[in-house]
Amino acid sequence: MKDFKSVFYQLTAKPDSMSRVYTKDTSIELDDIKLLNDRIVEKLQSHYNDAGFLISVYVRFSNGKVKEFSSWRAFEAHQWYESESINKIVMTWEFNAMLPQYRVPQKHTLTVKMSNSMRPEEMLNIIFTGNIQELEELDRNFFPVVARVDFIDRILGDELLNIVTDWVKSLREATIEKSKIILFLKRNKGKIATFLNFVTYIIIAISSVVLVNRYICTLGITILRDMSLDQMLHLMNAIFLCAGVWILAKRLVSVVTDRIYALLSEYGDSCLFNITKGDKNRQNKLRKREKNNRISIAINLIGTIVLNILCSVIANKIF
């Protein structure tokens, strides 16, 4: 009966889990991945009795191609001649540890995901579901490295996550420089787009009303009942013209702010990996595109601000 209970809990008990995300913009090479594996293996095999140990590596490329390595030896033996860049690498260590307080080995799993396309939505999905490999690919890089450990022994779980944390700190900074100002705007892109949309439309609307009022005053109308037919036509034309300006301005402002939002969303692409030839080509393309992205964002922002200033100046001149 004791043996049966032991096997039952071993097969059905759910371990606790912890996750950590890392926002450091880094560059990961093949030697870095090997170093991480060496540190994890050294910790597990030298401090805990081994009752079964598996290492698997999942690699996905930019063209959707996937390579799965069922052992570390197979991963090490692979020659990285691919012309495609790597989108993500998921490394999984499954280890049955003999612990003093347990009569049977206890399974612990450490999973480290390195990705070019991690967003907060994906991070939350990982935390709540624990499903790391089969997530839908999302489009922007916020959290390039995510670590998750399923553990029975809390001390061992903390030690494994601390190894990953120290490893991330030791990684080199990304080779593609990014503007801190634009990164700040990117983090607040929703607020900025809403603010520009609202303020610009209000200024254009007020300026158009001022212009129409000024035009109506030039018609010489003093009493509505004494208006001539021509004056009435001019008044109706001015009102319809003002309404048309509002509609056009709303659409124009929406297009401009949507463009600014899209540019900020797309800004900051990076190439996390420096392993394949495709990774190196991607890095070169991103370096060339970085300057153009900065110029486009600056032009759109400055253009919106100048438009607001011009509308305000015109309104003040007329008053």
Side-chain angles (χ1 to χ4, degrees), residues 84-103:
E84 301 87 8
S85 61
I86 297 174
N87 263 2
K88 69 178 176 181
I89 295 178
V90 181
M91 304 179 66
T92 304
W93 295 265
E94 295 179 284
F95 183 78
N96 284 322
M98 294 297 299
L99 303 171
Q101 64 271 38
Y102 296 99
R103 297 177 57 187

Side-chain angles (χ1 to χ4, degrees), residues 183-238:
L183 288 176
F184 172 79
L185 297 176
K186 176 185 176 74
R187 289 192 294 269
N188 299 276
K189 58 183 178 294
K191 296 178 182 178
I192 292 172
T194 301
F195 175 79
L196 290 176
N197 197 338
F198 179 77
V199 171
T200 305
Y201 179 68
I202 290 298
I203 291 177
I204 292 176
I206 292 175
S207 300
S208 64
V209 169
V210 171
L211 288 173
V212 170
N213 289 341
R214 183 65 176 175
Y215 173 71
I216 292 174
C217 290
T218 62
L219 296 177
I221 301 173
T222 56
I223 301 176
L224 289 178
R225 67 180 182 180
D226 293 335
M227 277 195 307
S228 64
L229 179 60
D230 288 339
Q231 289 175 328
M232 182 177 294
L233 291 175
H234 288 309
L235 178 60
M236 293 178 61
N237 290 338

Side-chain angles (χ1 to χ4, degrees), residues 63-93:
N63 63 348
K65 183 174 70 174
V66 171
K67 286 186 178 292
E68 297 189 57
F69 303 92
S70 58
S71 68
W72 180 252
R73 182 176 298 178
F75 178 79
E76 263 191 321
H78 183 71
Q79 300 297 318
W80 298 93
Y81 296 138
E82 286 83 1
S83 59
E84 301 87 8
S85 61
I86 297 174
N87 263 2
K88 69 178 176 181
I89 295 178
V90 181
M91 304 179 66
T92 304
W93 295 265

